[in-house]
């Protein structure tokens, strides 16, 4: 039997705005349904209704309509913020918590725990403290804790936002297998990049209303709707979208392999020449010397790391979950003190300075925006850093930023009531008013839709143009190659690469080592022998069109 969403409407207060408006669709049993739409369209509200948080825990709103499921159906949710869903000191405690609340016998709890630890390749974390895990590792443990309860309907609200590419592939594989086994999954996520291979059915929401209800392939062919909803689609589909404007009749593809086969028919291919890239000498603004960090549980998070961050550049910190990325950047702003080694800003050691002192020059935007929101209104949050650092700003500057980033109507809103994407953007915008000339962004795209990610990329380019240095941790590899100048790659706490984006694009061995794929445009421009390595879809399409004329 399918599950029916029947004319659901909702307001958080009786006199408030209608967040959902007569939403109706069917969730097919045994299928993977994706609910997409821009930040603030009502996706997370719908999740709260499905899980009965609304109206059982949030009861002062107005709910109409029903979510019709058979009696006894067990619905479980993987939330956007894993730390809000993990209880207990250790990983085993966190996984067992939900099963214990279901009253399962201890023997069954242990059997299910072993199963999910094996399923998600988490055995190596079982004796670790949750507090010392990376953001991606916490998210994986959160997924394990929910899978262990064996829900009839598994709802995942942006479930892989902090996971590395390996983690995303693993979750995709698991959900595909669950679907084969007859389990039902609902993905509430505006990012279809990781899930394109398993999604059966797409529901598009805009301003609280259903504007699309159909198959994945039909959605991928509807270019105008994708752009209206700000959905992040696989770069392969972006390539298809761009090329189909020049080559009518091109078949839809959403993998590199399928794309290569289609494009080879259009062009005259040649072998890619792997030329050496000379590295220019650059003035460092941050120097990391023999940096090491060992936590109290004995885990070696960083091992003898040396690196230089060039002034005025955009630098990516890459690596799998647990490789030491966040630990590394927390040493740059003083949140962590090294077990050994030194960190220098403009040649001067910072390891004995306070976080407040360092933040005048180097400021870190956390992975989870809730850790940085302190004020009662969006406007005061925007100016928080400036006021703390006594940096002058004008009312005109505030209004200009609020307008530019579509927050003017939210000026008096309590920041924690914003959508996840807007909360994250607000924390990033607040550092624009600070005195810092080095801005560190830890997974800045968390919760963002396609509109916000484009604005973020433009902001990073502008900051770099103004001479500021931007350091970014991200698992969104296509975004990284579109925006950064240089990269530092960590693997199991050790630095294995430092250099320019162009040099990195030619190092297939590095990506094989860390088991991360190059962006599709980089892979295909090399494999198809285009004249230059491409980092964005527009340049790649132009290269294909040019080569097609030679055929």
């Amino acid at each position: 039997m399918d599950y029916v969403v029947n004319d659901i409407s909702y307001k958080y207060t009786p006199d408030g705005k209608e967040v959902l408006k007569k939403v109706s669709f069917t969730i097919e049993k045994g299928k993977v349904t994706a609910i997409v739409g821009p930040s603030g369209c009502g996706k997370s509200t719908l999740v709260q209704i499905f899980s009965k948080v609304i109206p059982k825990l949030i009861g002062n709103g107005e709910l109409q309509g029903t979510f019709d499921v058979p009696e006894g159906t067990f619905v479980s949710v993987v939330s956007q913020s894993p730390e809000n869903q993990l209880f207990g000191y250790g990983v085993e405690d966190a996984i067992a918590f939900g099963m214990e609340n279901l009253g399962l016998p201890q023997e069954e709890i242990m059997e299910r725990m072993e199963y999910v630890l094996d399923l998600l390749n988490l055995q190596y974390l079982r004796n670790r403290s949750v507090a010392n895990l990376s953001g991606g590792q916490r998210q994986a443990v959160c997924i394990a804790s929910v899978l262990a309860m064996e829900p009839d309907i598994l709802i995942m609200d942006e479930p892989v936002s902090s996971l590395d590419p390996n983690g995303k592939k693993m979750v995709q594989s698991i959900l595909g297998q669950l679907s084969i086994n007859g389990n039902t999954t609902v993905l509430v996520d505006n990012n279809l990049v990781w899930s394109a291979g398993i999604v059966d059915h797409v529901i598009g929401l805009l301003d609280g209303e259903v504007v699309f209800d159909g198959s994945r392939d039909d959605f991928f062919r509807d270019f105008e709707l994708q752009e209206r909803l700000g959905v992040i689609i696989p770069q392969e589909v972006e390539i298809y979208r761009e090329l189909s404007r020049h080559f009518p009749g091109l078949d839809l593809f959403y993998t590199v392999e399928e794309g290569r086969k289609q494009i080879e028919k259009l062009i005259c291919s040649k072998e890619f020449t792997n030329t050496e890239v000379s590295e220019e000498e650059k003035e460092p603004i941050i120097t990391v010397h023999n940096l090491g960090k060992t936590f109290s549980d004995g885990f070696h998070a960083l091992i003898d790391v040396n690196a230089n961050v060039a002034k005025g550049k955009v630098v990516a910190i890459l690596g799998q979950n647990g490789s030491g990325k966040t630990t590394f950047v927390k040493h740059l702003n003083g949140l962590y003190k090294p077990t050994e080694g030194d960190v220098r800003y403009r040649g001067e050691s910072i390891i004995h300075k306070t976080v407040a002192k360092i933040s005048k020059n180097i400021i870190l935007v956390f992975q989870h925006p809730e850790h940085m929101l302190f004020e009662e209104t969006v406007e005061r949050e925007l100016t928080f850093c400036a006021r703390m650092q006594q940096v002058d700003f004008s009312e005109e500057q505030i209004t200009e930023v609020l307008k530019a980033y579509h927050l003017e109507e939210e000026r008096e809103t309590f920041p924690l009531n914003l959508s996840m994407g807007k909360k994250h953007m607000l924390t990033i915008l607040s550092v624009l008013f600070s005195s810092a000339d080095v801005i560190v962004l830890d997974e800045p795209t968390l919760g963002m839709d396609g509109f916000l990610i484009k604005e973020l990329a433009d902001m990073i380019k502008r900051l770099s143009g103004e001479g500021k240095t931007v350091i970014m941790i991200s698992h969104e590899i296509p975004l990284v190659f579109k925006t950064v100048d240089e990269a530092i790659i960590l693997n199991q706490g050790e630095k294995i690469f430092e250099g320019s984006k162009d040099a990195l694009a030619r190092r297939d061995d590095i990506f094989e080592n860390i088991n991360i794929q190059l962006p599709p445009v980089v892979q295909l421009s090399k494999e198809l022998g285009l004249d230059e390595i491409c980092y964005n879809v527009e340049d790649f399409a132009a290269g294909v069109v040019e080569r097609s004329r030679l055929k």
Side-chain angles (χ1 to χ4, degrees):
M1 176 180 175
D2 294 335
Y3 311 105
V4 179
V5 179
N6 188 17
D7 262 353
I8 288 181
S9 298
Y10 187 72
K11 298 178 182 178
Y12 278 96
T13 58
D15 57 348
K17 176 185 173 185
E18 204 167 31
V19 180
L20 296 171
K21 306 166 188 174
K22 293 189 174 298
V23 170
S24 294
F25 58 88
T26 297
I27 298 169
E28 295 181 63
K29 185 174 173 56
K31 301 289 186 183
V32 178
T33 297
I35 301 177
V36 302
S39 291
C41 72
K43 301 190 300 293
S44 292
T45 301
L46 206 51
V47 171
Q48 291 176 320
I49 293 169
F50 291 166
S51 64
K52 299 185 180 177
V53 169
I54 295 174
K56 286 191 174 180
L57 297 180
I58 302 175
N60 28 335
E62 280 190 0
L63 172 64
Q64 296 178 336
T66 56
F67 179 39
D68 299 333
V69 297
E71 188 70 31
T73 300
F74 176 32
V75 179
S76 196
V77 177
V78 175
S79 73
Q80 278 181 323
S81 303
E83 63 271 7
N84 296 342
Q85 204 169 343
L86 295 177
F87 302 93
Y89 170 79
V91 168
E92 289 188 352
D93 303 323
I95 294 174
F97 183 83
M99 293 186 284
E100 288 170 345
N101 277 275
L102 291 176
L104 298 179
Q106 192 62 30
E107 186 178 339
E108 185 172 354
I109 288 174
M110 293 311 298
E111 284 178 4
R112 291 192 187 188
M113 184 179 299
E114 292 299 328
Y115 171 72
V116 295
L117 286 170
D118 287 337
L119 185 69
L120 289 159
N121 296 324
L122 296 177
Q123 286 285 359
Y124 75 106
L125 292 179
R126 69 181 306 156
N127 296 317
R128 292 278 304 278
S129 159
V130 169
N132 289 337
L133 299 181
S134 71
Q137 288 169 334
R138 289 183 194 181
Q139 198 159 31
V141 171
C142 182
I143 292 170
S145 70
V146 172
L147 287 176
M149 292 188 285
E150 298 182 356
D152 298 303
I153 305 176
L154 174 62
I155 299 175
M156 309 186 87
D157 192 357
E158 297 198 14
V160 300
S161 51
S162 294
L163 292 184
D164 56 39
N166 272 352
K168 290 173 183 174
K169 282 184 210 166
M170 179 177 60
V171 173
Q172 181 194 49
S173 173
I174 290 166
L175 295 184
Q177 189 58 51
L178 288 175
S179 181
I180 291 170
N181 294 344
N183 296 82
T184 304
T185 304
V186 178
L187 300 176
V188 182
D189 195 341
N190 226 40
N191 187 336
L192 290 181
V193 175
W194 70 276
S195 60
I198 56 167
V199 166
D200 303 294
H201 179 206
V202 176
I203 300 295
L205 284 183
L206 186 63
D207 296 326
E209 298 182 90
V210 174
V211 295
F212 181 86
D213 182 350
S215 73
R216 170 199 58 197
D217 286 2
D218 284 346
F219 182 78
F220 280 159
R221 289 188 181 96
D222 195 331
F223 305 156
E224 186 271 335
L225 185 63
Q226 293 161 21
E227 292 181 352
R228 275 177 64 206
L229 297 182
V231 176
I232 307 160
I233 59 175
Q235 193 174 65
E236 295 91 332
V237 178
E238 288 186 55
I239 294 169
Y240 162 75
R241 183 168 69 186
E242 193 66 26
L243 288 178
S244 65
R245 303 183 204 278
H246 303 280
F247 304 100
L250 194 67
D251 291 339
L252 173 66
F253 56 84
Y254 43 87
T255 69
V256 169
E257 292 74 20
E258 292 168 351
R260 186 192 307 109
K261 290 175 186 175
Q262 290 286 327
I263 298 168
E264 279 177 340
K265 299 173 186 175
L266 306 174
I267 68 172
C268 172
S269 295
K270 68 177 184 179
E271 188 174 336
F272 173 72
T273 304
N274 190 359
T275 55
E276 289 296 317
V277 177
S278 60
E279 296 283 342
E280 59 178 307
E281 286 291 322
K282 298 171 285 285
E283 177 189 354
I285 193 168
I286 293 176
T287 304
V288 176
H289 180 66
N290 296 138
L291 188 65
K293 181 65 175 179
T294 302
F295 287 112
S296 57
D297 61 2
F299 178 67
H300 299 293
L302 294 174
I303 304 165
D304 198 28
V305 174
N306 292 279
N308 292 308
V309 176
K311 180 182 176 184
K313 298 293 185 181
V314 182
V315 181
I317 312 294
L318 304 177
Q320 297 285 4
N321 287 138
S323 61
K325 301 184 300 296
T326 297
T327 302
F328 178 80
V329 298
K330 283 185 175 179
H331 282 84
L332 305 187
N333 82 324
L335 278 172
Y336 283 164
K337 300 300 180 186
T339 308
E340 54 193 30
D342 194 12
V343 178
R344 296 169 190 158
Y345 169 76
R346 296 184 183 271
E348 183 181 354
S349 177
I350 65 171
I351 63 174
H352 297 299
K353 294 183 178 180
T354 64
V355 174
K357 181 79 172 172
I358 296 169
S359 69
K360 292 179 185 291
N361 306 117
I362 306 168
I363 196 161
L364 169 63
V365 179
F366 294 153
Q367 192 174 105
H368 297 290
E370 291 88 350
H371 298 168
M372 286 186 68
L373 297 174
F374 308 107
E375 293 287 3
E376 294 181 356
T377 69
V378 165
E379 180 177 346
R380 284 188 61 78
E381 195 64 59
L382 183 64
T383 61
F384 178 81
C385 289
R387 287 183 285 111
M388 293 302 101
Q389 296 178 348
Q390 298 182 325
V391 175
D392 292 334
F393 58 88
S394 67
E395 193 67 30
E396 290 75 21
Q397 286 175 302
I398 296 170
T399 300
E400 182 184 345
V401 170
L402 290 172
K403 277 185 177 178
Y405 293 94
H406 316 292
L407 287 169
E408 193 176 21
E409 291 184 7
E410 313 277 7
R411 186 186 286 256
E412 298 302 318
T413 299
F414 183 49
L416 289 172
N417 287 344
L418 296 174
S419 68
M420 176 62 84
K422 287 186 176 180
K423 279 190 283 195
H424 213 154
M425 181 59 83
L426 178 59
T427 61
I428 296 169
L429 292 173
S430 70
V431 307
L432 300 184
F433 288 93
S434 77
S435 60
D437 59 359
V438 179
I439 297 168
V440 185
L441 306 174
D442 191 354
E443 291 291 353
T445 59
L446 182 68
M448 289 189 176
D449 58 30
F451 301 121
L452 289 172
I453 288 177
K454 184 179 184 308
E455 289 174 355
L456 173 67
D458 292 342
M459 183 198 302
I460 290 171
K461 185 177 179 181
R462 179 167 63 84
L463 288 169
S464 179
E466 293 170 356
K468 292 186 183 284
T469 303
V470 180
I471 300 171
M472 176 172 67
I473 294 175
S474 180
H475 291 127
E476 300 300 326
I477 305 300
L479 173 69
V480 165
F481 273 84
K482 278 194 280 191
T483 56
V484 309
D485 304 301
E486 301 174 357
I488 295 168
I489 298 184
L490 299 175
N491 190 35
Q492 297 181 345
E494 298 184 84
K495 187 194 79 177
I496 62 170
F497 176 87
E498 179 179 6
S500 70
K501 171 174 68 178
D502 290 336
L504 181 59
R506 288 167 166 78
R507 291 289 304 275
D508 293 331
D509 60 311
I510 291 286
F511 281 85
E512 286 172 10
N513 188 10
I514 61 175
N515 201 14
I516 292 177
Q517 287 190 326
L518 284 162
V521 286
V522 174
Q523 290 185 60
L524 288 170
S525 58
K526 290 168 67 175
E527 291 173 6
L528 296 168
L530 299 189
D531 294 333
E532 294 181 352
I533 293 178
C534 302
Y535 301 115
N536 61 65
V537 171
E538 293 75 21
D539 289 347
F540 176 78
V544 170
V545 170
E546 182 65 29
R547 185 58 58 76
S548 72
R549 293 175 182 148
L550 303 175
K551 190 171 181 181

